[in-house]
Amino acid sequence: MTRKARLIYNPVSGHEQMLQNVADILNVLEQAGFEASAFRTTPEPLSAQNEAKRCALAGFDLLVGAGGDGTINEVVNGVASLEKRPKLAVIPAGTTNDFARALKIPRDNLVDAAKVILTGKTQKMDIGRAGKQYFMNIAASGSLTELTYGVPSEVKSVLGYSAYLLKGAEMLPKISSNKMRLTYDDGVYEGDLSMFLLGMTNSIGGFERIMPDAQLSDGLFQLIVVKTANPVDVLRLMAMALNGNHVNDPQIIYTKTKNLKVELLGESKDKDPIPVNLDGEIGGHLPIDFENLKQHIEFYIG
């Protein structure tokens, strides 16, 4: 019986390099024994997500998401709610490519990334649910997280990683805290915080030590809560995070949890709803409930 694979690619990711590589990637999929075809995403909202869902319902065996973490997130959202889910593969063509980094997929050559499929090595991965949305790497909220979605994509393409550092320096004076209640498996935190991070891999914005104890398939999120909004403290914690030393700091809560409920206590400092960032894009607002779906989707890994 013929196995079918669909390449879902974002033509504008990472200096538009996908465009030159589509034919070679389809060739790799054919070598792996798939009848292969491609879909080029459009500027329409949820283009990749809708195509992923359509293909899953049509019985495709493999979906290959090619683009940045936002494109991969859409493909995950297209299939995560379905009873029967195809295997997924990732071709990193974005700026930081956190998820591909965690899966040990080559990030400097798109065709080499596709060749991971030829090894046949897969792993069932945890997926996070946030309200009705899904994420595969990171959920975050609080003023500090604006660092990830506050950088325009065209700036990311030109400056890459340094864009985050420039933005971080610019934003430090604007960091504020809000009073929240976080209910997780082992307890409750009620008080001020400038950010919480809920992660499933060890790679966030290119940093690999922020979640030092991350497991990809244990059914648990890593939860980090940053209590302080003091710029000096935040800079100190950022420096410590480069080595993974931040987790023992008194300004940090670091724990594992399957579930997390986040509520805002009182009004936000600027009176606006507080957004929740899922895999680098805004994916709703507080209050919100999170759940870890253990080993929910099978991915090809390096």
Side-chain angles (χ1 to χ4, degrees):
M1 194 171 143
T2 309
R3 295 187 302 160
K4 291 197 297 181
R6 186 74 153 163
L7 170 65
I8 299 173
Y9 72 96
N10 183 344
V12 298
S13 282
H15 308 294
E16 304 185 356
Q17 55 180 322
M18 263 308 294
L19 297 172
Q20 303 99 276
N21 288 280
V22 170
D24 289 338
I25 291 167
L26 289 176
N27 190 34
V28 171
L29 294 175
E30 296 276 351
Q31 284 176 48
F34 293 95
E35 181 186 290
S37 57
F39 174 81
R40 174 178 170 152
T41 62
T42 69
E44 296 272 312
L46 306 183
S47 171
Q49 181 172 324
N50 293 335
E51 177 64 8
K53 184 173 184 178
R54 185 196 71 76
C55 291
L57 292 172
F60 277 69
D61 303 278
L62 170 65
L63 301 183
V64 182
D69 288 328
T71 303
I72 311 306
N73 173 282
E74 278 197 38
V75 172
V76 165
N77 270 276
V79 305
S81 65
L82 303 177
E83 203 63 42
K84 190 173 184 300
R85 300 176 291 278
K87 290 180 183 175
L88 299 189
V90 174
I91 295 180
T95 310
T96 50
N97 302 308
D98 278 323
F99 194 58
R101 185 191 301 262
L103 299 191
K104 298 186 166 46
I105 290 166
R107 302 190 312 282
D108 46 9
N109 184 299
L110 300 177
V111 179
D112 284 351
K115 286 180 179 172
V116 165
I117 296 162
L118 296 175
T119 69
K121 191 176 169 190
T122 64
Q123 183 172 346
K124 290 184 176 173
M125 306 279 290
D126 299 344
I127 297 294
R129 179 161 55 200
K132 293 181 179 175
Q133 300 239 67
Y134 299 88
F135 60 102
M136 75 279 171
N137 192 42
I138 186 80
S141 189
S143 71
L144 248 182
T145 57
E146 287 172 34
L147 189 51
T148 47
Y149 55 78
V151 183
S153 56
E154 60 273 15
V155 175
K156 282 184 197 170
S157 293
V158 177
L159 293 177
Y161 193 52
S162 56
Y164 290 105
L165 303 180
L166 290 169
K167 191 75 183 175
E170 178 192 314
M171 286 187 61
L172 270 179
K174 304 176 194 162
I175 292 168
S176 63
S177 61
N178 282 290
K179 196 176 272 300
M180 297 186 198
R181 181 189 296 120
L182 274 58
T183 308
Y184 48 95
D185 291 359
D186 288 340
V188 178
Y189 171 71
E190 230 174 81
D192 286 336
L193 61 92
S194 60
M195 176 173 69
F196 72 83
L197 286 175
L198 207 53
M200 283 172 290
T201 82
N202 65 343
S203 186
I204 299 167
F207 292 99
E208 294 194 28
R209 303 281 184 89
I210 291 181
M211 303 278 185
D213 197 24
Q215 307 289 324
L216 303 178
S217 306
D218 65 352
L220 297 171
F221 295 119
Q222 312 276 307
L223 171 64
I224 289 185
V225 179
V226 181
K227 302 175 190 175
T228 182
N230 179 306
V232 175
D233 279 342
V234 169
L235 265 180
R236 179 177 58 80
L237 290 170
M238 285 169 83
M240 291 171 73
L242 292 173
N243 304 310
N245 297 330
H246 57 299
V247 294
N248 299 316
D249 192 277
Q251 292 290 352
I252 297 278
I253 295 170
Y254 180 54
T255 186
K256 288 189 171 191
T257 187
K258 176 177 167 51
N259 295 285
L260 175 68
K261 182 184 181 75
V262 182
E263 303 161 277
L264 186 62
L265 302 176
E267 273 190 317
S268 68
K269 290 280 165 71
D270 55 11
K271 307 266 193 298
D272 290 332
I274 295 181
V276 176
N277 179 327
L278 303 178
D279 294 333
E281 308 289 333
I282 293 177
H285 295 82
L286 299 183
I288 198 162
D289 290 346
F290 298 94
E291 180 188 4
N292 187 303
L293 306 176
K294 186 176 183 178
Q295 299 180 13
H296 193 68
I297 294 179
E298 192 170 351
F299 283 87
Y300 280 86
I301 61 170

